[in-house]
Every structure is written in structure tokens, then in C-alpha cells.
């Protein structure tokens, strides 16, 4: 059964880490909605691995560094933000909370960081823009109708969005068995606000997952590198490719003019048995050769995770599920608290590792299972 609301309030007062929001979200949300946010593809092996892989990376903290002042600020594509922790695009946030993406946008802005709005948001680019100032990116699915893509990009530009995050790992939707069992559909009181009036149908109940059917009908399976080039002809905005997992594709991405790469396995919701993103990160960073920034998406739940990603070469990280679960639990205040907790944990990790700024975080601050053994010089 559902917890009494005062019991939930007590739980909320006492939250000390990001993970604790998930249990509250599970209590509050309808099963279909919670399952949609929480589940991964098929056996959910990669879902577990996105977390487990972090636990295999250990710190090599440096001592007796003056850490009385710690600077967590950084610049992403030239935009200065408070910390290298940003909000990933997640669909249909009004299923979590009535204010949905608008609450998330306000929380990200208050935290001084970047929010990415999903194409499949339940709030439009214009509505998000109207919440006030903030640096925002727009996540793009390429629909079969290229005129729709053109309209979406134009609207994002007009609403002041600063970059396009093109999702490249979804020619078809991954098999998420909970959604199939639940016959997942978008609740009837909600709409995909960016696609309203574009004649793109709705996410309805089917005998399968309604979202899978929708994506099959509307998203272009033929999407390829030529389309990345085409996208550059219709917008001056920098284009980030979200969903890169190999060095080979990272090299092609740079050649194709991508402004950045987001190492992502779609929150383990697409192809199961791909590596955790933190395990794939270094290969992608090496292939990028510093020509474009590389970001990590997937499995971030602690400030220590953020530090590990940066030590392995990421310029920043994106968080998804922690945002929707905290949004479900406590609206804008929940998302603010998640961003604050991650910031504070990250800052503490920096101090205890002997790093005073983002640029001081190096590969030498971590050890991984794939490291070559270190030879300590004899003094």
C-alpha cells in the first residue's frame, strides 16, 4: 500500500543520499510509471553493471594538499556552470510530477547547471524557456518526417536552447519487459508538448509497449552519418552525439563535425550486455584525442562517481533517474536537493583526493581493473 503522506514527509526530511529518493518514488507513483522510469532492457544486466562498474574503480588520494578552497566550476561548450553535473534528457516528466520538466528546469537553473529537455517531454521548449534564465540543451530524436525535425530545431533555437543532443542509439526501442507487461501508455491527461499539432500520433495502450509502437511508427530507422551532416546544415547550434560506446564511432563523430560526445547506453534501456558507460568511457576519450569534450551518462549516484568519470577523461556527467525519482518524491525541491547532494559529495571527494579544481583531477587519482601495475620509484 501507499505510505501515509506524513510518513513520506518524515522520510523526505531525513534523506542523506540520492538513492533514497527511488523508494519514495516507488511508493508514490503508479506501477506503470515507476516501472517505466526504473527498468532497463531485457535481463537488465547492463542496468546493474552501470552501477557495479563504478565499485571496481578505486581512489589514489593525495595528502597534505591545501584544500581550504575548492572550485567545482567548469565550462561546457564555453558556458560556465557551477559543477560538471548536468541534467540528462528523460521523457515525459509530468508522469512523475504535475510540474514535470518545468520544475526540473527551475531546479537546474537554481543549481547553476545545464538541463537537457527531451523531444518526448510533456512540456515544450517554449514552456521551459518561460521558466526563466538558464542554460539548456535540446535532445533530438530524428523523426521520419524531416520537416518535423526542422521545426523542432528551429523552435529550440528560438527558445534560446544552446545545443542539440542527438540520440544515436535508438533506431528501434529496446525491449523493456515491464513496459510490455504493463501495456505502457502516456496517461490520457498528458501530451508530448513538443510534438503537439505535428500529426505524430500519441503514445497509446497497445498489447505491447505503447512507446515501442510509437517509436517504431515515427522515429527514422535509416538515421546515419549523412543525417548528422544534414543536421549541421539546418542549425548553427553545436551538436552532441548521445549514445556513443566505441572508439571507432568516437573517431567518426569527430570527423563528422560533432561538437561533443555523450558516452551513454540510454540508461541501459536499449541493447542489453553493452558495457557500463564508465567502462566504455576511456576508449572513447582516447579516440576523441581531446578534439571534442566527452561526457558520461548512466549510473551516476554519488559525488565519488562524478570524480571517477572526470579522472577517466570526462568533461562532465549527466544524471537521469535521480532527477525523475526526486521529482516524483518532492517536485522542484527534490531535484534541487539531488543536485546539491551530488555537488557536496563531489566537492568532498575532491578535497579528500587533494584536488582543488576540476583541472587538478587526473588519471593518477584513480586505479582501475584494467590498469597496468604501477612501478613505484625507489627514493
Amino acid at each position: 500500500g501507499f505510505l501515509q503522506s506524513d510518513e513520506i514527509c518524515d522520510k523526505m526530511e531525513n534523506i542523506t543520499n540520492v538513492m533514497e529518493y527511488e523508494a519514495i518514488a516507488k511508493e508514490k507513483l503508479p506501477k506503470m510509471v515507476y516501472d517505466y522510469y526504473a527498468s532497463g532492457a531485457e535481463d537488465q544486466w547492463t542496468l546493474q553493471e552501470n552501477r557495479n562498474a563504478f565499485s571496481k574503480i578505486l581512489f589514489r588520494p593525495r595528502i597534505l594538499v591545501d584544500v581550504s578552497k575548492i572550485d567545482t566550476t567548469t565550462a561546457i561548450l564555453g558556458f560556465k556552470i557551477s559543477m560538471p553535473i548536468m541534467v540528462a534528457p528523460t521523457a515525459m516528466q509530468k508522469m512523475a510530477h504535475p510540474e514535470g520538466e518545468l520544475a526540473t528546469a527551475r531546479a537546474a537553473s537554481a543549481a547553476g547547471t545545464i538541463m537537457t529537455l527531451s523531444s518526448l517531454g510533456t512540456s515544450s521548449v517554449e514552456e521551459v524557456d518561460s521558466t526563466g534564465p538558464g542554460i539548456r540543451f535540446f535532445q533530438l530524436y530524428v523523426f521520419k518526417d524531416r520537416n518535423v525535425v526542422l521545426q523542432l530545431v528551429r523552435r529550440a533555437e528560438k527558445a534560446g536552447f544552446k545545443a542539440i543532443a542527438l540520440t544515436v542509439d535508438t533506431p528501434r526501442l529496446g525491449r523493456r519487459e515491464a513496459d510490455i507487461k504493463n501495456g505502457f501508455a502516456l496517461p490520457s491527461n498528458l501530451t508530448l508538448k513538443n510534438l503537439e499539432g505535428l500529426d505524430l500520433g500519441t503514445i497509446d495502450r497497445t498489447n505491447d509497449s505503447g512507446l515501442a509502437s510509437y517509436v517504431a511508427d515515427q522515429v527514422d530507422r535509416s538515421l546515419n552519418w549523412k543525417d548528422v551532416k544534414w543536421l549541421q546544415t539546418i542549425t548553427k547550434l553545436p551538436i552532441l552525439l548521445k549514445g556513443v560506446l566505441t572508439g571507432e564511432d568516437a573517431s567518426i563523430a569527430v570527423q563528422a563535425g560533432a561538437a561533443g560526445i555523450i558516452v551513454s547506453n540510454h540508461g541501459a534501456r536499449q541493447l542489453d550486455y553493452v558495457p557500463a558507460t564508465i567502462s566504455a568511457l576511456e576508449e572513447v576519450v582516447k579516440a576523441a584525442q581531446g578534439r571534442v569534450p566527452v561526457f558520461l551518462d548512466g549510473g551516476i549516484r554519488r559525488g565519488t562517481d562524478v570524480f571517477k568519470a572526470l579522472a577517466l577523461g570526462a568533461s562532465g556527467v549527466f544524471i537521469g533517474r535521480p532527477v525523475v525519482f526526486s521529482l516524483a518524491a518532492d517536485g522542484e525541491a527534490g531535484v534541487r536537493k539531488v543536485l546539491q547532494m551530488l555537488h557536496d559529495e563531489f566537492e568532498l571527494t575532491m578535497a579528500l583526493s587533494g584536488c582543488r579544481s576540476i583541472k587538478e583531477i587526473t588519471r593518477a587519482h584513480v586505479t582501475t581493473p584494467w590498469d597496468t601495475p604501477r612501478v613505484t620509484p625507489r627514493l
Side-chain angles (χ1 to χ4, degrees):
F2 285 88
L3 287 175
Q4 293 310 303
S5 57
D6 52 345
E7 211 179 316
I8 285 183
C9 281
D10 291 346
K11 273 205 162 75
M12 222 104 74
E13 289 293 284
N14 213 7
I15 279 184
T16 54
N17 68 65
V18 162
M19 277 85 74
E20 288 174 348
Y21 277 112
E22 182 166 354
I24 296 172
K26 190 173 185 177
E27 291 278 358
K28 284 185 113 168
L29 292 171
K31 180 174 166 33
M32 179 186 79
V33 173
Y34 171 78
D35 285 356
Y36 169 73
Y37 290 139
S39 60
E42 296 188 348
D43 299 330
Q44 306 191 103
W45 182 86
T46 298
L47 187 68
Q48 299 301 308
E49 189 65 9
N50 266 358
R51 287 296 307 134
N52 293 343
F54 279 106
S55 69
K56 302 185 183 87
I57 300 167
L58 303 180
F59 293 122
R60 302 182 69 251
R62 302 301 306 271
I63 55 162
L64 294 173
V65 176
D66 173 357
V67 290
S68 53
K69 287 190 181 65
I70 302 280
D71 180 9
T72 63
T73 62
T74 191
I76 303 294
L77 301 179
F79 299 102
K80 191 169 184 194
I81 56 175
S82 64
M83 57 183 172
I85 303 165
M86 299 166 282
V87 175
T90 52
M92 305 178 274
Q93 291 180 14
K94 281 188 181 175
M95 294 194 307
H97 186 275
E99 288 170 32
E101 294 84 358
L102 307 181
T104 301
R106 289 190 291 261
S109 186
T113 193
I114 294 165
M115 176 209 179
T116 317
L117 176 69
S118 170
S119 280
L120 303 181
T122 36
S123 310
S124 66
V125 288
E126 293 84 4
E127 288 170 326
V128 167
D129 179 36
S130 74
T131 62
I135 305 156
R136 297 174 188 123
F137 294 172
F138 181 68
Q139 176 273 335
L140 181 67
Y141 282 116
V142 174
F143 295 89
K144 288 172 184 168
D145 183 345
R146 288 298 193 274
N147 192 38
V148 166
V149 178
L150 187 61
Q151 286 184 61
L152 286 175
V153 170
R154 287 277 170 276
R155 284 170 55 199
E157 288 174 335
K158 195 162 175 250
F161 283 63
K162 301 299 186 211
I164 301 290
L166 175 66
T167 296
V168 294
D169 61 6
T170 316
R172 297 173 58 176
L173 204 71
R175 183 176 175 83
R176 306 161 194 177
E177 294 181 0
D179 292 350
I180 296 169
K181 284 187 170 65
N182 295 332
F184 176 81
L186 183 62
S188 56
N189 60 316
L190 301 176
T191 56
L192 300 176
K193 281 286 190 193
N194 289 310
L195 309 178
E196 248 180 3
L198 291 175
D199 193 30
L200 284 177
T202 49
I203 298 177
D204 301 316
R205 286 192 78 88
T206 60
N207 52 14
D208 186 49
S209 151
L211 182 64
S213 304
Y214 182 86
V215 167
D217 287 345
Q218 305 298 346
V219 170
D220 193 344
R221 295 185 185 183
S222 79
L223 186 70
N224 64 75
W225 292 105
K226 289 193 200 78
D227 298 292
V228 176
K229 282 291 189 204
W230 170 75
L231 207 51
Q232 290 166 303
T233 68
I234 68 162
T235 183
K236 290 276 183 284
L237 293 179
I239 296 163
L240 308 174
L241 296 194
K242 177 176 180 283
V244 175
L245 287 172
T246 65
E248 294 91 322
D249 282 337
S251 299
I252 303 171
V254 174
Q255 285 157 13
I261 291 168
I262 304 174
V263 176
S264 173
N265 51 35
H266 212 107
R269 296 159 73 76
Q270 283 299 99
L271 179 62
D272 202 12
Y273 297 99
V274 293
T277 47
I278 193 68
S279 307
L281 176 62
E282 258 195 312
E283 175 184 324
V284 172
V285 167
K286 284 197 174 84
Q289 295 180 321
R291 293 171 293 180
V292 300
V294 175
F295 306 100
L296 178 116
D297 164 86
I300 299 280
R301 300 292 180 272
R302 285 279 188 192
T304 48
D305 300 333
V306 180
F307 186 101
K308 288 171 186 182
L310 268 61
L312 294 180
S315 294
V317 304
F318 287 90
I319 58 166
R321 286 185 183 90
V323 170
V324 287
F325 290 143
S326 59
L327 182 64
D330 202 17
E332 182 186 337
V335 181
R336 279 188 188 224
K337 182 152 183 191
V338 154
L339 291 168
Q340 187 66 54
M341 285 189 296
L342 287 174
H343 170 275
D344 293 350
E345 289 177 6
F346 175 58
E347 185 183 53
L348 180 59
T349 306
M350 285 176 67
L352 295 177
S353 296
C355 298
R356 292 162 292 203
S357 66
I358 301 301
K359 66 174 191 298
E360 287 188 354
I361 301 172
T362 68
R363 185 59 173 80
H365 286 97
V366 295
T367 173
T368 70
W370 55 90
D371 284 349
T372 46
R374 287 179 180 277
V375 180
T376 312
R378 310 248 318 247
L379 298 176

